Amino acid sequence: MKKIEAIIRHFKLDDIKSSLTECGVEGMTITEVKGFGRQKGHTEMYRGNEYAIDFVPKVKVEVVVAEDKLRQVVETIMGQAQTGQMGDGKIFVSDLSEVIRIRTGETGKDAV
Ligand SMILES: Nc1ncnc2c1ncn2[C@@H]1O[C@H](COP(=O)(O)OP(=O)(O)OP(=O)(O)O)[C@@H](O)[C@H]1O
Ligand SMILES: [Mg+2]
């Protein structure tokens, strides 16, 4: 299994959620985060305000999927999240060793 962590712009969240649901993603976790990328020391716009970078608010979307869904999920997030402007975000992919569904005790792919 793979864990995909995507740092995205807030206003893209609804579209990303719908598109991921359409491609069969069964669950996700959302966190409000703050961070910075390569433009540290410069500024970035967020909801009409200019942030001295420092830390800019973003949303982190975490999705765990079976390996055969990885490409589709990454391409979907890319397609929805990209504006072409600095600050579009990043996608981190890592191997995940286990998933356990608490209600049933199922593990692995069956539990995702
Ligand atoms: N190397 C990193 N490690 C952890 N988080 C990161 C990293 N790079 C970016 N992020 C997170 O992603 C958010 C968005 O990054 P951002 O899109 O500005 O990256 P970038 O490399 O500066 O690309 P761009 O030039 O398109 O702005 C950051 O606010 C931060 O939360
Ligand atoms: Mg940046």
Coordinates of all heavy atoms in Angstrom, one line a residue, residues 14-86:
D14 N -12.5 20.9 -2.4 CA -13.7 20.2 -2.8 C -13.6 19.5 -4.1 O -14.1 18.4 -4.3 CB -14.8 21.3 -3.0 CG -15.3 21.8 -1.6 OD1 -15.0 21.2 -0.6 OD2 -16.1 22.8 -1.6
D15 N -12.9 20.1 -5.1 CA -12.7 19.4 -6.4 C -11.9 18.1 -6.3 O -12.2 17.1 -6.9 CB -12.0 20.3 -7.4 CG -13.0 21.5 -7.9 OD1 -14.2 21.3 -7.7 OD2 -12.5 22.4 -8.4
I16 N -10.9 18.2 -5.4 CA -10.0 17.1 -5.2 C -10.8 16.0 -4.5 O -10.7 14.8 -4.9 CB -8.8 17.5 -4.4 CG1 -7.8 18.3 -5.4 CG2 -8.0 16.2 -3.9 CD1 -6.6 18.9 -4.7
K17 N -11.6 16.3 -3.6 CA -12.4 15.3 -2.9 C -13.3 14.6 -3.8 O -13.4 13.4 -3.9 CB -13.2 16.0 -1.7 CG -14.0 15.0 -0.9 CD -14.9 15.7 0.0 CE -16.0 14.8 0.5 NZ -17.1 15.4 1.0
S18 N -14.1 15.4 -4.6 CA -15.0 14.8 -5.6 C -14.3 13.9 -6.6 O -14.8 12.8 -6.8 CB -15.8 15.8 -6.4 OG -16.1 16.9 -5.6
S19 N -13.2 14.4 -7.1 CA -12.5 13.6 -8.1 C -11.9 12.3 -7.5 O -12.0 11.2 -8.2 CB -11.4 14.3 -8.8 OG -11.8 15.5 -9.2
L20 N -11.4 12.4 -6.3 CA -10.8 11.2 -5.7 C -12.0 10.2 -5.4 O -11.8 9.0 -5.6 CB -10.1 11.5 -4.5 CG -8.7 12.2 -4.7 CD1 -8.0 12.5 -3.4 CD2 -7.8 11.4 -5.6
T21 N -13.1 10.7 -4.9 CA -14.2 9.8 -4.6 C -14.7 9.1 -5.9 O -14.9 7.9 -5.9 CB -15.4 10.6 -4.0 OG1 -14.9 11.3 -2.9 CG2 -16.5 9.7 -3.6
E22 N -14.7 9.9 -7.0 CA -15.1 9.3 -8.3 C -14.1 8.2 -8.8 O -14.5 7.2 -9.4 CB -15.1 10.3 -9.4 CG -16.5 11.0 -9.5 CD -16.4 12.3 -10.3 OE1 -15.6 12.4 -11.3 OE2 -17.1 13.3 -10.0
C23 N -12.8 8.3 -8.4 CA -11.9 7.2 -8.8 C -11.8 6.1 -7.8 O -10.9 5.3 -7.8 CB -10.6 7.7 -9.4 SG -9.6 8.8 -8.5
G24 N -12.8 6.1 -6.9 CA -12.9 4.9 -6.0 C -12.1 5.0 -4.7 O -12.0 4.0 -4.0
V25 N -11.6 6.2 -4.4 CA -11.0 6.3 -3.1 C -12.0 6.3 -2.0 O -13.1 6.9 -2.0 CB -10.2 7.7 -3.0 CG1 -9.8 8.0 -1.6 CG2 -9.0 7.6 -3.9
E26 N -11.8 5.4 -0.9 CA -12.8 5.1 0.1 C -12.7 6.0 1.3 O -13.6 6.0 2.2 CB -12.7 3.7 0.5 CG -12.7 2.7 -0.7 CD -14.1 2.2 -1.0 OE1 -15.1 2.9 -0.6 OE2 -14.2 1.1 -1.5
G27 N -11.6 6.6 1.5 CA -11.4 7.4 2.7 C -10.3 8.4 2.5 O -9.4 8.2 1.7
M28 N -10.3 9.5 3.3 CA -9.2 10.4 3.3 C -9.1 11.2 4.6 O -10.2 11.2 5.3 CB -9.2 11.3 2.1 CG -10.3 12.3 2.1 SD -10.3 13.4 0.6 CE -10.8 12.2 -0.6
T29 N -8.0 11.8 4.9 CA -7.9 12.6 6.1 C -7.4 14.0 5.7 O -6.5 14.1 4.8 CB -6.8 12.0 7.1 OG1 -7.2 10.7 7.4 CG2 -6.7 12.8 8.4
I30 N -8.0 15.0 6.3 CA -7.6 16.3 5.9 C -7.1 17.0 7.2 O -7.6 16.9 8.3 CB -8.9 17.1 5.5 CG1 -9.7 16.4 4.4 CG2 -8.6 18.6 5.1 CD1 -8.9 16.3 3.2
T31 N -6.0 17.8 7.0 CA -5.4 18.6 8.1 C -5.1 20.0 7.6 O -4.6 20.1 6.5 CB -4.1 17.9 8.6 OG1 -4.3 16.5 8.7 CG2 -3.8 18.4 10.0
E32 N -5.4 20.9 8.5 CA -4.9 22.3 8.2 C -3.5 22.4 8.6 O -3.1 22.0 9.7 CB -5.7 23.3 9.1 CG -7.2 23.3 8.9 CD -7.6 24.2 7.8 OE1 -6.8 25.1 7.3 OE2 -8.8 24.1 7.3
V33 N -2.6 22.8 7.6 CA -1.2 22.8 7.9 C -0.6 24.2 7.5 O -1.3 25.0 6.9 CB -0.4 21.7 7.2 CG1 -0.8 20.4 7.6 CG2 -0.6 21.9 5.7
K34 N 0.6 24.5 7.9 CA 1.3 25.7 7.5 C 2.7 25.2 7.1 O 3.2 24.3 7.7 CB 1.4 26.6 8.6 CG 0.1 27.3 9.1 CD 0.4 28.3 10.2 CE -0.8 29.0 10.6 NZ -0.5 29.9 11.7
G35 N 3.2 25.9 6.0 CA 4.5 25.5 5.6 C 5.1 26.5 4.7 O 4.5 27.6 4.4
F36 N 6.2 26.2 4.1 CA 6.8 27.0 3.0 C 7.5 26.1 2.1 O 8.0 25.0 2.4 CB 7.6 28.1 3.6 CG 8.9 27.7 4.3 CD1 10.0 27.3 3.6 CD2 8.9 27.7 5.7 CE1 11.2 26.9 4.3 CE2 10.0 27.3 6.4 CZ 11.2 26.9 5.7
G37 N 7.7 26.6 0.9 CA 8.5 25.9 -0.1 C 9.7 26.7 -0.5 O 10.3 27.3 0.4
R38 N 9.9 26.8 -1.8 CA 11.2 27.4 -2.2 C 11.3 28.9 -2.2 O 12.4 29.4 -2.2 CB 11.5 27.0 -3.7 CG 11.7 25.5 -3.8 CD 12.1 25.1 -5.2 NE 12.2 23.6 -5.2 CZ 12.7 23.0 -6.2 NH1 13.1 23.6 -7.3 NH2 12.8 21.7 -6.2
Q39 N 10.1 29.5 -2.1 CA 10.2 31.0 -2.1 C 10.4 31.6 -0.7 O 10.0 32.8 -0.5 CB 8.9 31.6 -2.8 CG 8.8 31.3 -4.2 CD 8.3 29.9 -4.5 OE1 7.7 29.3 -3.7 NE2 8.7 29.4 -5.7
K40 N 10.9 30.9 0.2 CA 11.1 31.4 1.5 C 11.8 32.7 1.5 O 12.8 32.9 0.7 CB 11.8 30.4 2.5 CG 13.0 29.8 1.8 CD 13.5 28.6 2.7 CE 14.6 27.8 2.0 NZ 14.1 27.1 0.9
G41 N 11.4 33.7 2.3 CA 12.0 35.0 2.2 C 11.2 35.9 1.3 O 11.4 37.1 1.3
H42 N 10.4 35.4 0.4 CA 9.6 36.2 -0.4 C 8.1 36.2 0.1 O 7.9 35.8 1.2 CB 9.6 35.7 -1.9 CG 11.0 35.8 -2.5 ND1 12.0 34.9 -2.2 CD2 11.4 36.7 -3.3 CE1 13.1 35.3 -2.9 NE2 12.8 36.4 -3.6
T43 N 7.2 36.5 -0.7 CA 5.8 36.5 -0.2 C 4.9 35.7 -1.1 O 5.2 35.4 -2.3 CB 5.2 38.0 -0.2 OG1 5.4 38.5 -1.5 CG2 6.0 38.8 0.8
E44 N 3.8 35.3 -0.5 CA 2.8 34.5 -1.3 C 1.4 35.0 -0.9 O 1.2 35.4 0.2 CB 3.0 33.0 -0.9 CG 2.1 32.1 -1.8 CD 2.3 30.6 -1.4 OE1 3.5 30.3 -1.1 OE2 1.4 29.9 -1.5
M45 N 0.5 35.0 -1.9 CA -0.9 35.5 -1.6 C -1.7 34.3 -1.1 O -1.6 33.2 -1.6 CB -1.5 36.0 -2.9 CG -0.9 37.2 -3.5 SD -1.0 38.6 -2.4 CE -2.7 39.1 -2.5
Y46 N -2.5 34.6 -0.1 CA -3.5 33.6 0.4 C -4.7 34.4 0.8 O -4.7 35.2 1.7 CB -2.9 32.9 1.6 CG -3.9 32.0 2.4 CD1 -4.4 30.9 1.8 CD2 -4.4 32.4 3.6 CE1 -5.4 30.1 2.4 CE2 -5.3 31.6 4.3 CZ -5.8 30.5 3.7 OH -6.8 29.7 4.3
R47 N -5.9 34.1 0.2 CA -7.1 34.7 0.4 C -7.0 36.3 0.5 O -7.4 36.9 1.4 CB -7.8 34.2 1.7 CG -8.2 32.8 1.5 CD -9.1 32.3 2.7 NE -9.6 31.0 2.3 CZ -10.0 30.1 3.2 NH1 -10.0 30.4 4.5 NH2 -10.5 28.9 2.8
G48 N -6.3 36.8 -0.5 CA -6.2 38.2 -0.7 C -5.2 38.9 0.2 O -4.9 40.1 0.1
N49 N -4.6 38.1 1.1 CA -3.6 38.7 2.0 C -2.2 38.2 1.5 O -2.1 37.1 1.0 CB -3.8 38.3 3.4 CG -5.1 38.8 4.0 OD1 -5.4 39.9 3.8 ND2 -5.9 37.9 4.6
E50 N -1.2 39.1 1.7 CA 0.1 38.7 1.3 C 0.8 38.2 2.6 O 0.8 38.9 3.6 CB 0.8 39.9 0.8 CG 1.9 39.6 -0.2 CD 2.4 40.8 -0.9 OE1 1.6 41.5 -1.5 OE2 3.6 41.0 -0.8
Y51 N 1.4 37.0 2.5 CA 2.1 36.4 3.7 C 3.6 36.6 3.4 O 4.1 36.1 2.4 CB 1.8 34.9 3.8 CG 0.4 34.7 4.5 CD1 -0.7 35.0 3.9 CD2 0.4 34.3 5.8 CE1 -2.0 34.8 4.5 CE2 -0.8 34.1 6.5 CZ -2.0 34.3 5.8 OH -3.2 34.1 6.5
A52 N 4.3 37.1 4.4 CA 5.7 37.1 4.3 C 6.0 35.6 4.7 O 5.5 35.1 5.7 CB 6.3 38.0 5.4
I53 N 6.8 35.0 3.9 CA 7.0 33.5 4.1 C 8.1 33.2 5.1 O 9.2 33.3 4.7 CB 7.2 32.8 2.8 CG1 6.0 33.0 1.9 CG2 7.4 31.3 3.0 CD1 6.0 32.2 0.6
D54 N 7.9 33.0 6.0 CA 7.2 32.3 7.1 C 6.4 31.1 6.7 O 6.8 30.3 5.9 CB 6.4 33.3 7.9 CG 7.3 33.9 9.0 OD1 8.5 33.7 9.0 OD2 6.7 34.5 9.9
F55 N 5.3 31.0 7.2 CA 4.5 29.8 7.0 C 3.1 30.2 6.4 O 2.4 31.0 7.0 CB 4.3 29.1 8.4 CG 5.5 28.6 9.0 CD1 6.1 29.3 10.0 CD2 6.1 27.4 8.6 CE1 7.3 28.9 10.6 CE2 7.3 27.0 9.1 CZ 7.9 27.7 10.2
V56 N 2.8 29.6 5.3 CA 1.6 29.8 4.6 C 0.6 28.7 4.9 O 0.9 27.5 4.8 CB 1.9 29.9 3.1 CG1 0.6 30.2 2.3 CG2 2.9 31.0 2.8
P57 N -0.7 29.1 5.2 CA -1.7 28.0 5.4 C -2.0 27.2 4.1 O -2.1 27.8 3.0 CB -2.9 28.8 5.8 CG -2.4 30.2 6.2 CD -1.2 30.4 5.4
K58 N -2.0 25.9 4.3 CA -2.4 25.0 3.2 C -3.2 23.9 3.8 O -3.4 23.8 5.0 CB -1.1 24.3 2.6 CG -0.1 25.3 2.0 CD -0.4 25.7 0.6 CE 0.6 26.7 0.1 NZ 0.2 27.3 -1.2
V59 N -3.7 23.0 3.0 CA -4.4 21.8 3.4 C -3.6 20.6 3.1 O -3.1 20.5 2.0 CB -5.8 21.7 2.8 CG1 -6.5 20.4 3.3 CG2 -6.7 22.9 3.1
K60 N -3.5 19.7 4.0 CA -2.9 18.4 3.7 C -3.9 17.3 3.6 O -4.8 17.2 4.4 CB -1.9 18.0 4.8 CG -1.2 16.6 4.5 CD 0.0 16.3 5.4 CE -0.5 15.9 6.8 NZ 0.7 15.3 7.6
V61 N -3.9 16.6 2.4 CA -4.8 15.5 2.2 C -4.0 14.3 2.2 O -3.0 14.1 1.6 CB -5.4 15.7 0.7 CG1 -6.3 14.5 0.4 CG2 -6.1 17.0 0.5
E62 N -4.5 13.4 3.1 CA -3.8 12.0 3.2 C -4.7 11.0 2.6 O -5.9 10.9 3.1 CB -3.5 11.7 4.6 CG -2.3 12.4 5.2 CD -2.1 12.2 6.7 OE1 -1.7 11.0 7.1 OE2 -2.4 13.1 7.5
V63 N -4.2 10.2 1.7 CA -5.0 9.1 1.2 C -4.1 7.8 1.1 O -3.0 7.9 0.7 CB -5.4 9.4 -0.3 CG1 -6.4 8.4 -0.8 CG2 -6.0 10.8 -0.4
V64 N -4.7 6.7 1.6 CA -4.0 5.5 1.5 C -4.7 4.6 0.5 O -5.9 4.4 0.6 CB -3.9 4.8 2.9 CG1 -3.3 3.4 2.8 CG2 -3.1 5.6 3.9
V65 N -3.9 4.1 -0.4 CA -4.5 3.3 -1.5 C -3.6 2.0 -1.8 O -2.5 2.0 -1.5 CB -4.7 4.1 -2.8 CG1 -5.6 5.2 -2.7 CG2 -3.3 4.6 -3.3
A66 N -4.3 1.0 -2.4 CA -3.5 -0.1 -2.9 C -2.6 0.4 -4.0 O -2.9 1.4 -4.7 CB -4.4 -1.1 -3.5
E67 N -1.5 -0.3 -4.2 CA -0.4 0.2 -5.1 C -1.0 0.4 -6.6 O -0.5 1.4 -7.3 CB 0.7 -0.8 -5.1 CG 2.0 -0.1 -5.6 CD 3.2 -0.9 -5.0 OE1 3.1 -1.6 -4.0 OE2 4.3 -0.8 -5.6
D68 N -1.9 -0.4 -7.0 CA -2.4 -0.3 -8.4 C -3.2 1.0 -8.6 O -3.6 1.3 -9.7 CB -3.2 -1.5 -8.8 CG -4.3 -1.9 -7.9 OD1 -4.7 -1.1 -7.0 OD2 -4.9 -3.0 -8.0
K69 N -3.6 1.7 -7.5 CA -4.4 2.9 -7.7 C -3.5 4.1 -7.6 O -3.9 5.3 -7.9 CB -5.4 3.0 -6.5 CG -6.7 2.4 -6.8 CD -7.9 3.4 -6.4 CE -9.2 3.1 -7.0 NZ -9.7 1.8 -6.6
L70 N -2.2 3.9 -7.3 CA -1.3 5.1 -7.0 C -1.3 6.1 -8.1 O -1.5 7.3 -7.9 CB 0.1 4.6 -6.7 CG 1.1 5.7 -6.5 CD1 0.8 6.5 -5.2 CD2 2.5 5.1 -6.4
R71 N -1.0 5.6 -9.3 CA -0.9 6.5 -10.5 C -2.1 7.3 -10.7 O -2.0 8.5 -10.9 CB -0.5 5.7 -11.7 CG 0.4 6.5 -12.6 CD 0.9 5.7 -13.8 NE 0.4 6.4 -15.0 CZ 0.2 5.9 -16.1 NH1 0.3 4.6 -16.3 NH2 -0.2 6.6 -17.2
Q72 N -3.2 6.7 -10.7 CA -4.5 7.3 -11.0 C -4.8 8.4 -9.9 O -5.2 9.5 -10.3 CB -5.6 6.3 -10.9 CG -7.0 6.8 -11.4 CD -8.1 5.8 -11.2 OE1 -7.9 4.8 -10.6 NE2 -9.3 6.2 -11.7
V73 N -4.5 8.1 -8.7 CA -4.7 9.1 -7.6 C -3.8 10.3 -7.7 O -4.2 11.5 -7.6 CB -4.6 8.4 -6.2 CG1 -4.5 9.5 -5.1 CG2 -5.8 7.5 -6.0
V74 N -2.5 10.0 -8.0 CA -1.5 11.1 -8.2 C -1.9 12.0 -9.4 O -1.9 13.2 -9.3 CB -0.1 10.6 -8.3 CG1 0.9 11.7 -8.7 CG2 0.4 10.0 -7.0
E75 N -2.3 11.4 -10.5 CA -2.7 12.2 -11.6 C -3.9 13.0 -11.4 O -4.1 14.1 -11.9 CB -2.9 11.2 -12.9 CG -1.5 10.8 -13.4 CD -1.7 9.8 -14.5 OE1 -2.8 9.4 -14.9 OE2 -0.6 9.3 -15.0
T76 N -4.9 12.4 -10.6 CA -6.1 13.1 -10.3 C -5.8 14.4 -9.5 O -6.3 15.5 -9.7 CB -7.1 12.2 -9.6 OG1 -7.4 11.1 -10.4 CG2 -8.3 13.0 -9.2
I77 N -5.0 14.2 -8.5 CA -4.6 15.3 -7.6 C -3.9 16.4 -8.4 O -4.2 17.6 -8.4 CB -3.7 14.9 -6.4 CG1 -4.6 14.0 -5.5 CG2 -3.2 16.1 -5.6 CD1 -3.8 13.3 -4.4
M78 N -2.9 16.0 -9.2 CA -2.2 16.9 -10.1 C -3.1 17.7 -11.0 O -3.1 18.9 -11.1 CB -1.2 16.1 -11.1 CG 0.0 15.6 -10.5 SD 1.2 17.0 -10.1 CE 1.5 17.6 -11.7
G79 N -4.1 17.0 -11.6 CA -5.0 17.6 -12.5 C -5.9 18.6 -11.9 O -6.2 19.7 -12.4
Q80 N -6.2 18.4 -10.6 CA -7.2 19.3 -9.9 C -6.4 20.4 -9.2 O -7.0 21.5 -9.1 CB -8.0 18.5 -8.9 CG -8.9 17.5 -9.5 CD -10.1 18.1 -10.2 OE1 -10.4 19.3 -10.0 NE2 -10.7 17.4 -11.1
A81 N -5.2 20.1 -8.7 CA -4.6 21.1 -7.8 C -3.7 22.1 -8.5 O -3.4 23.2 -7.9 CB -3.7 20.3 -6.8
Q82 N -3.4 21.9 -9.8 CA -2.5 22.8 -10.5 C -3.1 24.0 -11.0 O -4.1 24.0 -11.7 CB -1.9 22.0 -11.7 CG -0.6 22.6 -12.2 CD -0.1 21.7 -13.3 OE1 -0.7 21.5 -14.4 NE2 1.1 21.0 -13.1
T83 N -2.5 25.2 -10.6 CA -2.9 26.5 -11.2 C -1.8 27.0 -12.1 O -2.0 27.9 -12.9 CB -3.3 27.5 -10.2 OG1 -2.0 27.9 -9.5 CG2 -4.2 27.1 -9.1
G84 N -0.6 26.5 -11.9 CA 0.5 27.0 -12.6 C 1.3 28.1 -11.9 O 2.3 28.6 -12.3
Q85 N 0.7 28.6 -10.8 CA 1.3 29.6 -10.0 C 2.1 29.0 -8.9 O 1.9 27.9 -8.4 CB 0.2 30.5 -9.3 CG -0.7 31.2 -10.3 CD 0.0 32.1 -11.3 OE1 0.7 33.0 -10.9 NE2 -0.2 31.8 -12.6
M86 N 3.1 29.8 -8.4 CA 3.9 29.3 -7.3 C 3.0 29.1 -6.1 O 2.1 29.8 -5.8 CB 5.0 30.4 -6.9 CG 6.1 30.5 -7.9 SD 7.4 31.6 -7.4 CE 6.5 33.2 -7.5

